[in-house]
Amino acid sequence: MPGIKSISPSNLAAAVDLLKRGGVLIFPTETSYALGCDATNDQAVARVFAIKGRPEGKGTPIILPPDVDVNTYVELSERAQELAKQHWPGPLNIVANRAKSSPVSHRCETEGTQSVRQSSHPIASELARQLGRPLVATSANRSGETAIYRPDELESEFIDDRPDAIVDAGHLPVVPASTTVKVIDDKLEVIRQGVIVL
């Protein structure tokens, strides 16, 4: 793909190195291709927003490394913990109050809350594990456009400011977006009904 370096799924070390250097990466998830970076690198997160055309203040979901202490990043209530136990790893984003200790860029939050999940896709999960930090995981399309499941569709999506590389996993199954729920204390609000029906 001209302008965007292709990285084989068998060479994730190269993708992780790019992320550690502040690069912006397209990678497969359990729903569609995602646009992301090291969520703790504020400059990289700002570039993801610029490439996507995402408004500042809207925040973005992050994928947590497997086996991480979730409380480092968000304050999960008992109800949120139950949902995480039931559906993680998987396509359920839980929006909760950001933890004071969180090293994640404030650009990723929305009014003090943060959307988090652990991914069931082996590549997305392994990228987060090897990076050892959360990954920004917003759908790899311009804001307002439809999700992308095929690498060849990305060429016309990002014409001016392009991501640095793509982990090319070929055509992904076309499935609904991830479900997003906001859970503060025991109050649950479905923000986006997706592949997991709650």
Side-chain angles (χ1 to χ4, degrees), residues 12-50:
L12 291 188
V16 173
D17 181 63
L18 184 148
L19 291 167
K20 287 181 177 177
R21 290 185 284 109
V24 173
L25 183 71
I26 295 171
F27 56 93
T29 73
E30 60 269 54
T31 52
S32 62
Y33 275 96
L35 179 68
C37 64
D38 175 354
T40 68
N41 184 324
D42 187 65
Q43 287 185 320
V45 176
R47 191 161 159 240
V48 167
F49 273 69

Side-chain angles (χ1 to χ4, degrees), residues 40-134:
T40 68
N41 184 324
D42 187 65
Q43 287 185 320
V45 176
R47 191 161 159 240
V48 167
F49 273 69
I51 290 171
K52 188 176 173 77
R54 191 175 184 86
E56 290 284 342
K58 193 171 181 182
T60 184
I62 61 174
I63 289 175
L64 300 176
D67 303 321
V68 75
D69 182 1
V70 179
N71 294 314
T72 302
Y73 304 100
V74 288
E75 298 172 354
L76 292 188
S77 65
E78 283 190 25
R79 189 167 188 188
Q81 290 176 43
E82 288 171 6
L83 285 170
K85 189 174 181 180
Q86 287 178 317
H87 299 290
W88 286 0
L92 177 68
N93 299 306
I94 297 176
V95 178
N97 287 325
R98 173 189 170 104
K100 293 181 176 64
S101 61
S102 177
V104 169
S105 166
H106 283 279
R107 295 177 194 272
C108 297
E109 69 174 69
T110 303
E111 296 178 346
T113 66
Q114 178 66 62
S115 176
V116 298
R117 82 171 186 269
Q118 289 180 326
S119 178
S120 57
H121 194 284
I123 291 175
S125 179
E126 184 63 12
L127 285 171
R129 188 191 72 78
Q130 289 192 29
L131 180 64
R133 296 189 285 275

